[in-house]
Amino acid sequence: MTIGLNTTLSNGLAMPLVGFGCAGHVRRESLNGAINAGYLLFDTAQAHEWYLEDELGEALRMSGVNRSQLFLTSKLHPRDLGEQSTLNAFPASLRRLGTTYLDAFMLHYPRCFGDLCERKPKGDWRDSWRALEHLYQQGAVRAIGVCNFSPEELRQLLEFARIRPHLVQSWMDPLHQERPLRALCDTHGVQFQAYSSLGTQHRTSINPVLHHPVIKALAQSKGRSEAQVVLRWVLQHGVAVIPRSMRQGHIEANLRLGDFELSAADMAQIDALDGTNPNQAIPP
């Protein structure tokens, strides 16, 4: 299966299939490494709990990479849900990233949870979606989407939207494959983009994805890293992906996914891992 470097969103916008995820307070050194490795899509957010938009903006400014070559994504903090709140919050991303537009702007969550929001939002995700539609129509963003929506919430959005989402982002890895949400995206022509594909969402002492016997055996047979096998599996499902690493060798390897492929049997082996208990994924 030949996979190109880009996918095309429903509005005709080209988007790199592999980008660099900036969660985990990624700093300048790693960002410079990703830029030098050739990443063009960078995924960040307004949630300072996990992201540093200003670090990315400065790294890109210092790199000299032409803005037109880049695909920059950011996401609204749920404390700013509400139509006017969203419009008020959006320019901060432009300022921190040093750009006049975003390639994609997304709702990070459909609601606040836990202690994530220090104040009650003034509206809900429906109000914010109207703001995203406005920003899209004004040309301030080239694509709009949502993150961490359930299938039912996405169905509601598809019915409510005047402009349907171009992009949906959610957690997907071999043990947690998010099949209902992906199927809904496929049905409606929405590009699915996976985060945490390398097992980082599982709260286990050993990474249950990269150390799973099936993944390790496939990596050995292909002469590739476990991470490359998992990322290639994601791509062959038609899903875009945004891996993150702090190590330069891994940053570069995670982008080298186009010169090998997984067979149908290989794919089936990984597909069969869906729903595996992460605490039982690795034999004692």
Side-chain angles (χ1 to χ4, degrees):
M1 170 187 275
T2 300
I3 295 175
L5 296 176
N6 292 331
T7 187
T8 302
L9 302 182
S10 59
N11 63 352
L13 179 65
M15 184 187 86
L17 273 169
V18 182
F20 190 77
C22 298
H25 292 145
V26 177
R27 297 286 181 174
R28 196 85 49 84
E29 182 179 359
S30 297
L31 294 167
N32 289 341
I35 294 166
N36 292 335
Y39 286 83
L40 296 175
L41 186 154
F42 291 86
D43 179 88
T44 187
Q46 295 184 342
H48 292 161
E49 294 86 350
W50 306 297
Y51 295 85
L52 298 171
E53 287 180 312
D54 51 350
E55 287 276 315
L56 176 58
E58 183 62 15
L60 292 172
R61 186 184 70 81
M62 296 295 292
S63 75
V65 176
N66 192 302
R67 172 65 181 90
S68 64
Q69 295 180 273
L70 298 168
F71 194 105
L72 300 183
T73 297
S74 193
K75 312 178 200 76
L76 180 79
H77 197 295
R79 66 170 170 252
D80 292 314
L81 288 170
E83 186 167 3
Q84 191 58 50
S85 302
T86 299
L87 295 174
N88 291 344
F90 173 74
S93 287
L94 300 184
R95 184 177 67 253
R96 288 190 288 257
L97 292 168
T99 183
T100 58
Y101 67 95
L102 290 181
D103 297 281
F105 192 54
M106 311 175 77
L107 305 185
H108 204 158
Y109 290 96
R111 65 188 59 80
C112 292
F113 61 91
D115 59 358
L116 180 60
C117 300
E118 73 280 6
R119 63 174 184 269
K120 183 179 179 180
K122 296 182 178 179
D124 63 16
W125 63 258
R126 293 170 181 81
D127 301 316
S128 287
W129 190 256
R130 289 290 182 248
L132 264 60
E133 291 174 327
H134 174 77
L135 292 170
Y136 179 74
Q137 291 173 322
Q138 294 297 310
V141 298
R142 302 172 74 198
I144 52 179
V146 295
C147 308
N148 303 304
F149 270 46
S150 69
E152 180 54 34
E153 287 163 340
L154 181 56
R155 288 189 193 95
Q156 293 173 17
L157 172 58
L158 289 167
E159 293 175 0
F160 171 79
R162 297 168 184 157
I163 300 172
R164 288 190 164 192
H166 308 108
L167 193 61
V168 166
Q169 188 183 104
S170 196
W171 167 27
M172 173 190 172
D173 72 30
L175 311 187
H176 178 95
Q177 296 181 20
E178 203 69 284
R179 293 186 187 188
L181 187 61
R182 286 164 46 208
L184 188 59
C185 288
D186 287 344
T187 297
H188 293 278
V190 181
Q191 178 63 52
F192 188 93
Q193 186 180 56
Y195 68 76
S196 296
S197 297
L198 301 179
T200 54
Q201 286 288 324
H202 300 289
R203 301 296 183 253
T204 53
S205 59
I206 299 175
N207 186 311
V209 170
L210 299 184
H211 288 86
H212 195 285
V214 168
I215 303 299
K216 291 183 76 66
L218 286 170
Q220 184 174 10
S221 70
K222 303 292 180 185
R224 299 287 174 159
S225 71
E226 289 80 4
Q228 286 176 311
V229 167
V230 172
L231 295 173
R232 178 73 196 192
W233 167 77
V234 173
L235 293 180
Q236 287 187 211
H237 272 298
V239 171
V241 69
I242 45 172
R244 178 206 70 187
S245 180
M246 306 295 189
R247 299 180 182 180
Q248 188 61 27
H250 293 173
I251 289 172
E252 295 171 4
N254 288 347
L255 201 55
R256 293 197 303 268
L257 305 173
D259 58 351
F260 76 104
E261 64 180 77
L262 301 176
S263 69
D266 297 334
M267 293 290 289
Q269 284 190 71
I270 302 177
D271 289 347
L273 301 180
D274 193 21
T276 300
N277 184 333
N279 294 300
Q280 299 173 0
I282 304 169

